[in-house]
Amino acid sequence: MIIRPQLQILQDRMEEPRRFIQVLAGPRQIGKTTLIDQLIEQLTKPVTNISADTIAPDNMEWIADQWSAVRRMMKLRSEQEHILIIDEIQRINNWSEVVKREWDSDTHTHTNIKVILLGSSRLLIQDGLNESLAGRFELVHMPHWSFSEMERGFGLTLEQYIYFGGYPGAAPFVKDERRWRLYMKHSIVNPSIEKDVLFTKRILKPELMRRLFELGASYSGELVSFNKLIGQLQDAGNTSTMANYLNTLQEADLLCGLQQYSPDKVRRYKSIPKFQVYNTALQSACQDYDFQSVYIDRQRWGRWVESAVGAHLVNGMFEGDYQVFYWREKDEEVDFVLAQGCRILGIEVKSGRRTAGKGLLTFRQRFPQAQTLVVGTGGLPIDVFLRTEPRELL
């Protein structure tokens, strides 16, 4: 059984005096509920673990009723403290207002109820935490599974991880690709869009959102202008709509559009986005190429390798407190640029997709303070890179 680092974080915080609501957020099917089960096994304190998954969205008082039940239980059992865990909290309308009211009531009466909330990635933060619960919570972010975790947990090889990605539920099916694709479609991709994104956000054109995700995942590692996408989508609206939808997919830890690195923030915002999936399984599931056909085509395989490197970088952004960009000037480019304050790292991925260019050299000339790194052929091996926390490279 894989023990993810977020387990120790939550365990330590449950031993501290009551200070903040703990929010465990991350994309679908990456083990949030399993981690909570592991946490409960480790705790010696009384715990109430409930889920709002089947509760009507307008039943806001359900949260208050559960909270009141815990208070009564504490009084009957003479408990000094209790841990209340609520899963799928974002499914209740205006949930943050109720949580704020109950949390503040406990603070006023010195009732020692420690609270853990589970939700779907940063969508939970945007619609609740920053509005009603500002200053009352700490976020514990669970990213997609890394290569090291999938290797230890399921024995995936480097090549399998690059193609099949880091979803633990799909890992047993890597040798049965038809079954793997069906699982990805029905258990991960569709629910991620329909239950997480569309349920949480007000999306005027849901079909456009789905098509944007599918095309963006297919183009992972590529620079694609919104105008070009509009030409491939029916009823696509304008570029502003596309940009907003892409931001929503990024908040769900599914797909992002990297900006071009520049000290000028205006130039960043106006740059053509470089699509990047958070998990290469999403890229593979949105393509018609099977593992073998991708692997033997060195140019196509290079796209998957670059996406795996990019996914590793964007998944580490929260804990690493850095930003990820790309850089391009005429025909010269650098695949990824990590920026953290005055620290800059240009990363070039070499895997047979293209011959070595002068991108890093030109990048260093433009930004003399930057460090550079080659990942793959002639540089840091891909497997070593994927086992390394990106923040350690800065």
Side-chain angles (χ1 to χ4, degrees):
M1 181 177 294
I2 296 297
I3 303 298
R4 305 200 76 188
Q6 292 77 19
L7 175 62
Q8 188 63 54
I9 293 173
L10 285 178
Q11 191 172 350
D12 291 344
R13 292 180 183 178
M14 290 301 100
E15 297 296 331
E16 297 174 350
R18 176 184 181 273
R19 292 192 184 96
F20 302 106
I21 298 169
Q22 300 299 317
V23 180
L24 181 65
R28 178 173 292 270
Q29 293 294 324
I30 50 87
K32 297 188 296 292
T33 302
T34 299
L35 184 139
I36 289 298
D37 291 340
Q38 294 171 337
L39 175 66
I40 293 173
E41 290 180 1
Q42 299 294 326
L43 294 173
T44 58
K45 309 176 189 299
V47 179
T48 295
N49 184 17
I50 54 177
S51 175
D53 190 40
T54 59
I55 307 302
D58 59 352
N59 189 3
M60 292 185 297
E61 290 308 305
W62 174 84
I63 299 174
D65 292 342
Q66 304 304 311
W67 218 297
S68 296
V70 170
R71 294 191 186 108
R72 288 193 297 270
M73 190 183 309
M74 291 181 68
K75 186 175 182 179
L76 290 171
R77 297 178 179 177
S78 300
E79 295 173 352
Q80 297 302 307
E81 66 178 297
H82 198 102
I83 297 173
L84 173 60
I85 303 171
I86 307 178
D87 196 1
E88 297 290 348
I89 185 70
Q90 80 281 352
R91 299 188 68 81
I92 305 293
N93 295 334
N94 299 318
W95 61 270
S96 59
E97 297 177 10
V98 183
V99 169
K100 177 180 180 293
R101 183 185 70 201
E102 300 302 323
W103 176 264
D104 289 351
S105 175
D106 286 346
T107 301
H108 180 72
T109 60
H110 303 287
T111 303
N112 194 13
I113 299 178
K114 299 175 180 178
V115 177
I116 300 176
L117 305 178
L118 279 70
S120 299
S121 197
R122 287 167 287 172
L123 293 173
L124 176 65
I125 305 171
Q126 298 297 327
D127 294 331
L129 292 179
N130 290 339
E131 297 174 4
S132 300
L133 295 174
R136 294 174 175 83
F137 73 94
E138 287 183 292
L139 178 66
V140 181
H141 181 251
M142 278 187 72
H144 291 272
W145 282 45
S146 68
F147 170 52
S148 296
E149 290 172 322
M150 295 299 289
E151 182 184 42
R152 294 199 312 270
F154 302 97
L156 261 64
T157 65
L158 174 63
E159 292 75 17
Q160 287 174 326
Y161 177 76
I162 288 172
Y163 180 86
F164 293 104
Y167 281 108
F173 309 136
V174 297
K175 294 185 178 179
D176 185 346
E177 288 194 45
R178 180 179 177 276
R179 189 175 178 184
W180 180 85
R181 288 183 181 278
L182 289 173
Y183 178 88
M184 284 295 303
K185 177 182 178 180
H186 297 297
S187 295
I188 295 180
V189 174
N190 288 348
S192 293
I193 299 297
E194 295 170 7
K195 292 188 177 182
D196 296 340
V197 175
L198 298 182
F199 184 90
T200 309
K201 290 282 188 176
R202 184 171 179 265
I203 304 297
L204 297 178
K205 298 180 178 181
E207 186 57 33
L208 174 60
M209 170 69 81
R210 293 188 184 92
R211 291 291 295 138
L212 173 61
F213 167 73
E214 292 170 359
L215 279 175
S218 299
Y219 283 122
S220 184
E222 300 290 330
L223 276 68
V224 183
S225 70
F226 286 127
N227 286 328
K228 180 178 179 180
L229 280 180
I230 289 174
Q232 298 186 42
L233 296 169
Q234 294 181 350
D235 191 28
N238 54 38
T239 58
S240 177
T241 299
M242 302 287 284
N244 289 335
Y245 284 3
L246 184 57
N247 286 337
T248 299
L249 291 169
Q250 179 173 350
E251 291 167 4
D253 287 348
L254 295 173
L255 175 74
C256 65
L258 302 180
Q259 298 174 341
Q260 173 161 325
Y261 178 75
S262 171
D264 184 351
K265 292 185 178 181
V266 174
R267 291 189 64 186
R268 293 182 188 177
Y269 297 143
K270 290 183 177 180
S271 62
I272 297 174
K274 177 179 180 178
F275 286 109
Q276 175 61 57
V277 290
Y278 278 79
N279 192 319
T280 52
L282 301 171
Q283 178 181 8
S284 301
C286 291
Q287 297 262 13
D288 295 328
Y289 307 109
D290 61 18
F291 171 60
Q292 190 63 28
S293 64
V294 170
Y295 184 67
I296 63 176
D297 185 330
R298 303 318 295 169
Q299 183 172 0
R300 185 171 289 132
W301 179 246
R303 282 188 56 202
W304 259 259
V305 172
E306 184 177 328
S307 283
V309 169
H312 188 60
L313 293 174
V314 297
N315 275 294
M317 284 194 297
F318 183 85
E319 287 295 328
D321 191 28
Y322 58 79
Q323 293 178 285
V324 182
F325 304 92
Y326 72 92
W327 179 81
R328 187 174 188 179
E329 184 176 285
K330 296 182 180 179
D331 294 332
E332 302 297 338
E333 64 177 286
V334 174
D335 295 321
F336 302 103
V337 178
L338 271 60
Q340 184 186 60
C342 61
R343 298 179 179 179
I344 305 171
L345 175 66
I347 299 176
E348 184 74 4
V349 183
K350 300 298 182 186
S351 59
R353 179 185 174 190
R354 60 178 182 268
T355 59
K358 297 186 296 183
L360 287 181
L361 176 61
T362 307
F363 182 75
R364 284 195 297 267
Q365 293 172 348
R366 297 292 183 272
F367 308 102
Q369 77 277 26
Q371 301 294 315
T372 56
L373 174 68
V374 174
V375 176
T377 306
L380 187 68
I382 298 291
D383 62 325
V384 175
F385 174 84
L386 294 177
R387 299 179 201 275
T388 303
E389 291 291 340
R391 64 176 179 268
E392 298 177 7
L393 301 172
L394 286 165

